[in-house]
Amino acid sequence: MIGTIVLLIALAFSIISMVMYYLSFKGYKNTLNYARISYHAMAMLVITASTLLWYLLLTHQYQYHYVFSYSNNSLSTGFLLSSFWGGQEGSFMLWLLLTAILGIVLQSYTSKRGNLEQRVMTVYALATTFLLIMVSPWFKNPFEYIWTTPIFIDIKSINSSFLGLPFIQQFLFTDQSSGSNLIQMNTELHQLLSNAGISVNQFIADGRGLNPQLLNFWMQIHPPILFTGFAMSTVPFAFALAALMKNDYRDWVRQSLPWLLAGMGILGLGIMLGGYWAYEMLGWGGYWAWDPVENSSFIPWLVGVAGIHTMLVQRKSQAKGGFGKFARTNLLLCIFTYILVLYSTFLTRSGVLGDASVHSFVSPGMLIYFFLILFIGTFLVIGVGAIVYRWKYLTDHTQYEEGLLSRELALFTGAVVLIASAIIILVGTSAPLFGQSVDTFFYNEMNLPIVIIIGLLNGLSLLVKWKDTKKEDLIRKILPSLGAALVISLLIILLGGINEIMIMLLTFSAVFALVVNSEIAFKIIRGNKKMLGAYIAHIGIALFILGVIGSAVYSNETDVDLVKNETKNAFGYEMTFIGWTPIDNNTKYAFNINVKKGNSEYRVSPVMYISDFNKSLMRIPAILTLPTQDLYISPLSYDDGNNNHDHNTVTLKKDSSIYFNDAKITFVKFNMQAEAIAKMQAGEDFQTGADLLIEKDGKKEKVELLRKVISGNVEFTSFISEEMDLKIDLVNLSAGDVEIELSNLNGMENQLTQPQQEILTVAASIKPFISFVWIGVIVMALGFFIAVLRRLPESIVKSS
């Protein structure tokens, strides 16, 4: 209750701050101080509410729905702190907290630059107001009590000493699909407990905990960095609106450019930290899957980076006396960077993606769905409407002379190419909204030529001069770079065995950009080091692309059955499974593998365990990082060689496989149609399915197993094949997993591989030069921040 009240008061102060700032802009006296005080009060209240939520999590206050849903007694302090952003309510709180704190810095920044504060902070306070509404009692309030909305709690989470209370039986239910006993917590049970002198926090002994896929070190770092990037995208939007409010388009470019640089640097770093998290945790061996939610964060980054380049052109062209070229373009790009961040939030948190994304939250309800649309629509109408209103003033009549071989044209062309990529990804990402789906092939094929063009344009733009360049000068400057890039590219192509023409061109494009930027950076490194920012960022991107070529295009993978103490060879590595070791208080199992190549020996230990959170088999890969490549070992299954199992029940993740009775069974995908989701939400009969691929004796067969809910009863279908001597019964479908029971038709017990032997089945793959991906990201982010240091002093422009 206290947290809710604090947030409501903060909402009131945010609205007051917004109104007071606007009145100050319109010339009303004695309003600026009220606006400042109100904003600071709002920010302090948001910090107070956030601190309270952290306190509730650390002290296990399970009477709060959010605390129960995303924490439990077994979480370490680090994960308890990061469970703050483990769910929708907390992630909105994190976004609000970072936005509020950032606003204090922005307030100080703008107060030193003429009358900029009133205009910028009016818009910025509007953004904090919408975020505060989002975490209010009407929407995603993290301080909601657990009994407010009825919730089923596993009986294991209940204090057993209270299960004998006479009124408990009426709230006891059994989940027919899993056999679990559940207690329904609602207002009636809360009242009965209160009458008996029992607090809900005494009654609930443990929480549900975090999804096991979130139990990773990067959970503590990736979301705060990503949401800092989201928060910082608000600032260029506010500067753009501030320029439109005053109808002055000269100074805003210098004032907002450092913020856009910092925001895109942080957002890009946050996106790729998420990629490393996926690589390290999920076991499929990649870091980018063109998932709709991944894409939705990437799109505003592309648009923001395009804006950086066109803003440089506008700023340079102001030397003629006008407000510069591409004013409309820059205003639109800064506005749409933030709009697309909001769209990313809509995709992630509205539930519209359903089964299209592994990152998507469950549907939050129609009220929140429409509020998110209102959120986006409001800022879209304000931003685009203001440009339309000021359109006739946005033409700079100053004459600019520039040739085809000019840096202005090269930068603008590069921005257009980046926007084209953003549009392509936006179309594919939005396809699930219309009941369609886009394969990763679409993104790869459409973006490959774009990346080639970007690399070539990047190198070219740094070799041409502003306004115009003589052909003779360009040829003289470009020949050494082209020669060096060609030699290095040929070496990479020949040594790497590259035989696809588009990948050859991509390699040359990345190397050309790397050579040009490295050459310029080397020349100026002894001078003003703040000038290095752009070149270092470009070097990072070139290294990243080379890492992608090696790790994604030329990665190799194979499944290996490792019989205990027997050596198997894969990709020149000798691998020997030597047994397993219980870890984390016997809750997880590390499967130890000795790896040898030449005279070098290593020990890797992939992990498997059954999660208490969702009763699913979790697999954590082991990564052997070497100078030129990673050896990536993802566990698939383990057979202890015991013939005395009562049944063979296994849990499979998407794209994982198991062997049984000489058959390979692969879980291909879920089948969850939009119609089924609608029926489920309406309480009607519905069915969901799991597609399996069965391979045996050179034959392949696709099978769909169904989970049907009919009149509240759950039914599961089976697959029977006399030819394969195989029966597969669907046991359960849960988020990310399918549980099946395997048997043969003769009634004889079979094991998941060969009997009487301990066998660990792994997917082994090599990722050549994947370290370039991570090095490239770090170098790129460093370049952005050096560029910020260069542009900050230039931003001090006194506005009248």
Side-chain angles (χ1 to χ4, degrees):
M1 179 63 74
I2 295 175
T4 301
I5 293 171
V6 169
L7 288 176
L8 287 174
I9 297 173
L11 174 60
F13 274 117
S14 184
I15 294 171
I16 293 169
S17 176
M18 177 181 62
V19 173
M20 290 295 109
Y21 269 124
Y22 182 74
L23 291 177
S24 178
F25 164 67
K26 299 301 287 185
Y28 288 83
K29 297 181 179 180
N30 303 320
T31 53
L32 181 57
N33 283 336
Y34 288 117
R36 289 171 173 171
I37 292 170
S38 297
Y39 186 87
H40 277 270
M42 179 275 295
M44 292 306 298
L45 288 166
V46 169
I47 293 170
T48 300
S50 301
T51 303
L52 176 60
L53 182 56
W54 264 309
Y55 169 78
L56 298 176
L57 289 162
L58 289 169
T59 55
H60 306 298
Q61 302 296 313
Y62 296 129
Q63 68 269 33
Y64 292 93
H65 185 280
Y66 189 80
V67 177
F68 169 79
S69 299
Y70 298 103
S71 70
N72 60 20
N73 299 337
S74 65
L75 291 180
S76 65
T77 301
F79 284 123
L80 280 173
L81 290 170
S82 59
S83 62
F84 182 103
W85 47 82
Q88 288 206 43
E89 297 89 340
S91 57
F92 275 115
M93 272 296 296
L94 177 64
W95 190 0
L96 170 63
L97 173 64
L98 294 169
T99 303
I101 293 173
L102 188 66
I104 297 174
V105 180
L106 180 64
Q107 189 183 64
S108 174
Y109 177 90
T110 53
S111 66
K112 299 179 178 68
R113 289 162 173 81
N115 66 350
L116 184 63
E117 180 186 353
Q118 294 93 318
R119 293 175 283 129
V120 168
M121 293 306 296
T122 297
V123 180
Y124 198 84
L126 176 63
T128 60
T129 298
F130 264 89
L131 288 173
L132 278 160
I133 294 173
M134 200 69 231
V135 296
S136 68
W138 308 291
F139 296 104
K140 305 303 290 186
N141 179 18
F143 298 103
E144 180 183 275
Y145 286 120
I146 194 169
W147 59 81
T148 304
T149 302
I151 180 176
F152 287 97
I153 302 174
D154 195 303
I155 201 168
K156 295 178 182 177
S157 297
I158 304 299
N159 190 328
S160 59
S161 62
F162 297 123
L163 294 177
L165 292 171
F167 52 79
I168 288 296
Q169 289 300 317
Q170 60 184 302
F171 301 99
L172 185 62
F173 296 85
T174 300
D175 183 350
Q176 298 297 327
S177 62
S178 66
S180 300
N181 292 318
L182 309 171
I183 294 288
Q184 186 183 43
M185 172 57 68
N186 53 28
T187 53
E188 183 182 357
L189 178 56
H190 168 244
Q191 186 62 50
L192 290 170
L193 290 170
S194 298
N195 293 340
I198 302 168
S199 70
V200 172
N201 200 37
Q202 291 174 315
F203 182 71
I204 302 176
D206 201 1
R208 185 177 292 161
L210 283 173
N211 186 309
Q213 291 183 344
L214 301 181
L215 297 176
N216 180 273
F217 169 79
W218 296 106
M219 169 64 177
Q220 303 167 72
I221 297 177
H222 160 65
I225 292 178
L226 187 70
F227 277 99
T228 299
F230 281 3
M232 292 196 74
S233 69
T234 317
V235 180
F237 176 89
F239 274 107
L241 265 293
L244 290 161
M245 288 168 68
K246 190 179 179 182
N247 204 20
D248 183 352
Y249 311 104
R250 183 175 177 84
D251 295 338
W252 84 279
V253 176
R254 294 187 183 192
Q255 293 162 344
S256 62
L257 184 55
W259 291 88
L260 186 58
L261 282 164
M264 294 306 100
I266 292 171
L267 182 59
L269 180 62
I271 291 169
M272 284 314 299
L273 281 178
Y276 186 78
W277 181 358
Y279 177 71
E280 185 180 85
M281 182 70 182
L282 298 185
W284 57 279
Y287 43 84
W288 192 262
W290 294 111
D291 180 274
V293 175
E294 295 172 346
N295 294 350
S296 63
S297 300
F298 185 44
I299 294 166
W301 186 84
L302 287 171
V303 174
V305 171
I308 289 170
H309 292 82
T310 51
M311 287 174 81
L312 290 174
V313 176
Q314 182 178 353
R315 190 182 156 279
K316 186 69 176 180
S317 60
Q318 288 175 349
K320 285 281 189 177
F323 55 71
K325 299 186 66 175
F326 307 133
R328 294 190 187 108
T329 301
N330 290 326
L331 291 166
L332 280 169
L333 291 178
C334 285
I335 287 169
F336 272 96
T337 297
Y338 184 58
I339 297 297
L340 288 166
V341 164
L342 299 181
Y343 183 66
S344 166
T345 303
F346 170 74
L347 287 179
T348 310
R349 297 164 206 288
S350 65
V352 297
L353 291 180
D355 195 44
S357 170
V358 298
H359 298 84
S360 181
F361 288 89
V362 297
S363 176
M366 292 304 295
L367 183 62
I368 295 172
Y369 178 89
F370 285 118
F371 181 77
L372 288 170
I373 293 177
L374 177 65
F375 196 172
I376 298 170
T378 299
F379 284 86
L380 182 63
V381 169
I382 291 173
V384 177
I387 289 179
V388 172
Y389 180 72
R390 297 293 195 188
W391 188 263
K392 62 182 179 181
Y393 303 104
L394 287 169
T395 300
D396 189 354
H397 297 288
T398 306
Q399 295 297 317
Y400 299 101
E401 298 177 1
E402 63 182 48
L404 288 175
L405 295 177
S406 66
R407 187 168 296 181
E408 291 92 331
L409 184 59
L411 289 174
F412 178 73
T413 306
V416 170
V417 174
L418 286 169
I419 293 168
S421 176
I423 292 172
I424 289 168
I425 300 171
L426 180 65
V427 170
T429 301
S430 303
L433 298 178
F434 306 99
Q436 304 296 318
S437 62
V438 173
D439 192 78
T440 56
F441 177 81
F442 166 82
Y443 296 109
N444 292 333
E445 290 299 303
M446 295 296 288
N447 280 287
L448 181 55
I450 287 177
V451 178
I452 294 171
I453 294 170
I454 288 173
L456 296 174
L457 278 173
N458 174 245
L460 179 64
S461 68
L462 299 175
L463 295 173
V464 294
K465 299 177 181 178
W466 295 102
K467 295 184 180 180
D468 199 9
T469 306
K470 293 181 180 180
K471 292 181 181 178
E472 297 80 9
D473 292 341
L474 177 60
I475 292 172
R476 177 176 51 83
K477 292 171 69 175
I478 203 173
L479 281 177
S481 299
L482 279 175
L486 188 60
V487 171
I488 296 171
S489 299
L490 285 173
L491 287 173
I492 294 173
I493 291 168
L494 293 174
L495 295 176
I498 299 175
N499 50 28
E500 298 178 48
I501 184 64
M502 294 299 287
I503 304 302
M504 292 180 185
L505 292 174
L506 179 61
T507 302
F508 174 76
S509 171
V511 171
F512 178 63
L514 179 63
V515 168
V516 173
N517 282 277
S518 299
E519 181 183 2
I520 297 174
F522 182 76
K523 288 178 180 178
I524 66 175
I525 196 167
R526 295 181 181 178
N528 185 358
K529 293 180 174 58
K530 290 183 180 179
M531 302 291 289
L532 287 170
Y535 310 112
I536 290 177
H538 295 153
I539 288 170
I541 292 171
L543 290 172
F544 174 84
I545 293 172
L546 291 173
V548 170
I549 293 172
S551 62
V553 179
Y554 289 95
S555 173
N556 289 310
E557 180 176 341
T558 185
D559 291 349
V560 184
D561 292 328
L562 296 174
V563 179
K564 187 175 180 180
N565 297 323
E566 292 184 13
T567 299
K568 291 287 185 71
N569 190 290
F571 310 117
Y573 293 91
E574 296 178 359
M575 296 186 288
T576 307
F577 169 49
I578 59 173
W580 53 267
T581 305
I583 58 174
D584 291 354
N585 297 320
N586 297 322
T587 60
K588 300 178 182 178
Y589 301 92
F591 294 84
N592 303 311
I593 303 171
N594 286 339
V595 178
K596 183 178 180 181
K597 186 169 187 178
N599 295 323
S600 301
E601 295 185 12
Y602 313 92
R603 170 76 59 82
V604 297
S605 301
V607 173
M608 289 192 287
Y609 66 99
I610 301 295
S611 169
D612 290 334
F613 180 86
N614 54 16
K615 309 303 179 187
S616 298
L617 177 64
M618 306 303 300
R619 302 173 177 88
I620 302 175
I623 304 171
L624 178 59
T625 301
L626 299 169
T628 60
Q629 64 185 15
D630 281 4
L631 175 63
Y632 191 93
I633 299 177
S634 181
L636 297 178
S637 65
Y638 168 69
D639 174 24
D640 62 6
N642 184 357
N643 280 326
N644 297 319
H645 297 302
D646 293 331
H647 54 79
N648 292 316
T649 301
V650 295
T651 302
L652 294 177
K653 287 188 170 298
K654 187 173 178 290
D655 296 325
S656 65
S657 303
I658 198 73
Y659 289 89
F660 176 83
N661 203 21
D662 298 325
K664 181 181 180 182
I665 301 153
T666 304
F667 173 31
V668 179
K669 66 176 182 178
F670 283 107
N671 277 332
M672 184 70 168
Q673 302 298 326
E675 181 183 357
I677 297 175
K679 288 183 177 180
M680 179 176 63
Q681 292 173 343
E684 301 175 8
D685 295 348
F686 69 96
Q687 68 179 33
T688 56
D691 285 354
L692 305 179
L693 176 64
I694 304 170
E695 302 172 73
K696 185 176 181 181
D697 299 331
K699 298 179 181 179
K700 296 183 179 181
E701 185 165 354
K702 294 182 178 180
V703 175
E704 182 182 19
L705 300 178
L706 299 175
R707 178 182 185 269
K708 302 179 180 180
V709 178
I710 303 173
S711 301
N713 297 316
V714 181
E715 298 179 2
F716 297 98
T717 63
S718 302
F719 164 76
I720 299 175
S721 172
E722 294 184 1
E723 182 180 1
M724 295 184 178
D725 188 24
L726 178 64
K727 180 182 180 184
I728 304 176
D729 295 300
L730 180 61
V731 177
N732 196 21
L733 279 173
S734 59
D737 305 300
V738 59
E739 187 176 356
I740 55 176
E741 183 173 316
L742 306 170
S743 59
N744 64 3
L745 299 181
N746 296 326
M748 298 170 59
E749 295 285 342
N750 278 277
Q751 299 309 302
L752 301 184
T753 48
Q754 297 301 317
Q756 304 301 329
Q757 292 177 316
E758 285 188 59
I759 301 178
L760 175 68
T761 302
V762 300
S765 58
I766 54 170
K767 310 291 179 183
F769 295 100
I770 193 170
S771 58
F772 278 28
V773 172
W774 318 125
I775 294 170
V777 170
I778 294 170
V779 172
M780 179 201 71
L782 177 64
F784 271 98
F785 297 132
I786 294 173
V788 171
L789 295 176
R790 175 189 175 186
R791 299 297 175 181
L792 265 176
E794 300 173 359
S795 69
I796 303 175
V797 181
K798 297 294 183 181
S799 297
S800 58

